């Protein structure tokens, strides 16, 4: 993934020069147009103090989700920030976990370092880690985006999410949306892309330059991270084996999986053991899969086991920040040393939002190498139903929420059964759905 790192470096290295160039360009030829567009798109948003959003005021089940028209509207407060109008969002298992309070201790501290030991100060929280939309306003130092640009992003878990009219991110967390996708399709990709890239590249050591003929096993391959990882690895030339249930086999084979093992048909460990050993295993399942998966790696060849199901945040939630972090560190160190003695590497993978990484993903999407996998789409007024869908598990791709009206010809058609809501329609539909007192 060398080009991603280069892109990130270039963004920072040339930032001062690009600022000067942008200022000169504005003054010379296109300044009036850009400034006019900025005023037209963002003047109303800068003046507004509230917006419609789905929030939670406490942790719990689906009943804690609340629609409000008075959520605090974000605004550009620093030179590197980008204000985005949300056109579409999508849900991930992380949103279900965060609704229940997963990671609350560490995330609250990340949001507000002076909140250590305080309870409840993080509310209200807006969930949603994926966004596809349009830039409304930019800080004075932003050079890669301008008002009117169509963008997508994976939102850090400590920031307010995309189940709202607007979201505020830094320039380095945002990327230009693939031109070939609608906002609905684009919203299905950023979170799973950021997670898969962090696991496969940072922890697994893979990239497009070293993947040819590498054997990779993906457990739980029919969900969002799995379906993206299959396509990415095939684009890079890897041989991909996937575990999933029988009714998802057609999906993962259609995305390029070379071999598929049905985990419901018998002893999956035995069946996988009959295959040639693997260079990298990406574990999306956790549990007892760790016990048998490590034996499927090639010994003493640099093979790596990467799990996305780690106890890190759970330990901090249950033990506190210091004790939980120390316990997690010792646990990881012990497993890493034990498996290193057996000739394989043991790693934890984490979700890591990265705008420059999405730049490369966007190119792969527009080249037809990666397709969006959308299982279901909900209106903004149906967010609780979308959460119920994700909470049932056994995903076959992503669950998307349409937030703003898309331009004609780029959105979801009526034949697909879904249209976008306007804010006024959302308010009316939520009122009608609310229990009568």
């Amino acid at each position: 993934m060398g080009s991603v790192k280069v892109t990130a470096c270039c963004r920072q290295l040339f930032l001062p020069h690009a600022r000067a160039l942008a200022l000169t360009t504005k003054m010379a030829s296109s300044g009036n147009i850009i400034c006019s567009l900025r005023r037209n798109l963002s003047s109303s948003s800068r003046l507004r103090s509230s917006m419609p959003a789905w929030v939670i005021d406490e942790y719990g089940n689906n009943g804690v989700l609340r629609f409000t028209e008075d959520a605090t509207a974000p605004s550009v407060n620093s030179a590197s920030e980008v204000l985005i109008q949300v056109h579409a969002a999508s849900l991930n298992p992380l949103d279900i976990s965060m609704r229940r309070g997963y990671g609350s201790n560490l995330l609250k501290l990340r949001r507000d370092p002076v909140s250590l030991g305080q309870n409840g100060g993080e509310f209200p929280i807006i969930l949603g880690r994926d966004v596809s939309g349009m830039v409304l306003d930019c800080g004075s130092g932003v050079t890669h985006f301008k008002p009117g640009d169509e963008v997508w992003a994976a939102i850090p878990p400590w920031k307010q999410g995309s189940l709202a009219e607007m979201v505020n991110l830094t320039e380095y967390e945002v990327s230009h949306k693939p031109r070939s996708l609608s906002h609905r399709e684009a919203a299905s990709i950023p979170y799973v892309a950021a997670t898969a890239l962090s696991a496969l590249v940072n922890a697994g050591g893979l990239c497009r330059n070293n993947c040819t003929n590498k054997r990779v096993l993906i457990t739980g391959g029919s969900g969002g991270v799995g379906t993206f990882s299959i396509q990415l690895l095939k684009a890079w030339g890897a041989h991909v084996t996937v575990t999933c249930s029988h009714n998802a086999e057609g999906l993962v084979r259609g995305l390029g999986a070379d071999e598929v093992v049905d985990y419901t048909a018998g002893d999956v460990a035995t069946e996988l053991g009959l295959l040639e050993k693997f260079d990298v295993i990406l574990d999306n399942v956790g549990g007892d899969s760790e016990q048998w998966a490590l034996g499927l790696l090639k010994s003493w060849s640099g093979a790596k086991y990467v799990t996305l199901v780690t106890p890190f945040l759970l330990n901090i939630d249950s033990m506190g920040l210091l004790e939980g972090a120390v316990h997690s560190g010792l646990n990881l160190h012990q497993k890493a040393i034990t498996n290193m003695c057996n000739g394989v590497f043991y790693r934890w993978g984490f979700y890591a939002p990265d705008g420059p990484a999405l730049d490369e993903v966007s190119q792969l999407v527009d080249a037809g190498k990666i397709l969006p996998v959308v299982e279901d789409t909900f209106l903004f007024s149906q967010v609780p139903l979308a959460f119920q869908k994700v909470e049932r598990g056994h995903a076959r791709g992503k669950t998307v929420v349409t937030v703003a009206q898309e331009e004609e010809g780029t959105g979801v058609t009526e034949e697909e059964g879904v249209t976008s809501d306007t804010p006024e329609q959302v308010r009316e539909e939520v009122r009608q759905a609310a229990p009568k007192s």
Side-chain angles (χ1 to χ4, degrees), residues 265-334:
D267 188 344
V268 64
T270 299
E271 188 166 351
L272 287 169
L274 299 175
L275 304 177
E276 182 182 342
K277 290 188 180 293
F278 299 95
D279 298 287
V280 174
I281 295 176
L282 176 60
D283 188 356
N284 295 295
V285 177
D288 63 355
S289 63
E290 181 176 312
Q291 299 174 14
W292 50 259
L294 285 157
L296 301 174
L297 290 167
K298 299 175 181 177
S299 298
W300 306 108
S301 63
K304 300 175 180 69
Y305 168 86
V306 182
T307 179
L308 290 171
V309 186
T310 78
F312 180 66
L313 290 179
L314 289 175
N315 287 340
I316 290 178
D317 288 339
S318 61
M319 303 177 187
L321 180 61
L322 182 59
E323 185 178 355
V326 171
H327 182 83
S328 298
L330 292 175
N331 182 18
L332 176 60
H333 179 74
Q334 180 182 11

Side-chain angles (χ1 to χ4, degrees), residues 25-41:
T25 305
K26 285 183 181 180
M27 294 175 64
S29 58
S30 61
N32 293 335
I33 297 174
I34 294 175
C35 291
S36 175
L37 180 59
R38 182 188 296 266
R39 284 195 299 271
N40 291 337
L41 291 174

Side-chain angles (χ1 to χ4, degrees), residues 83-229:
L83 182 65
I84 301 169
Q85 179 190 23
V86 180
H87 282 222
S90 71
L91 298 183
N92 300 278
L94 177 63
D95 293 298
I96 306 299
S97 299
M98 289 179 64
R99 190 201 65 200
R100 296 171 179 159
Y102 173 73
S104 58
N105 287 341
L106 185 60
L107 295 178
K108 180 170 61 175
L109 184 63
R110 180 62 178 81
R111 294 183 189 108
D112 182 9
V114 301
S115 66
L116 187 62
Q118 301 177 7
N119 293 321
E122 66 268 36
F123 299 112
I125 294 174
I126 301 173
L127 300 172
R129 297 303 105 194
D130 290 293
V131 60
S132 182
M134 184 181 69
V135 175
L136 290 175
D137 199 8
C138 300
S140 60
V142 173
T143 60
H144 288 82
F145 307 98
K146 63 182 185 299
D149 284 355
E150 292 190 322
V151 296
W152 63 347
I155 302 172
W158 56 85
K159 291 191 174 184
Q160 294 288 38
S162 55
L163 295 177
E165 187 178 18
M166 294 178 285
V167 66
N168 198 24
L169 298 170
T170 68
E171 178 179 20
Y172 306 107
E173 294 162 343
V174 181
S175 171
H176 288 98
K177 178 183 77 68
R179 296 179 180 179
S180 58
L181 299 186
S182 67
H183 287 291
R184 166 185 170 267
E185 295 168 326
S188 69
I189 293 178
Y191 170 84
V192 296
T195 304
L197 286 167
S198 175
L200 294 172
V201 178
N202 298 338
L206 298 176
C207 67
R208 63 181 177 182
N209 297 323
N210 69 0
C211 244
T212 303
N213 297 324
K214 287 285 179 66
R215 291 182 54 79
V216 182
L217 168 65
I218 302 173
T219 65
S222 64
V225 173
T227 54
F228 177 87
S229 298

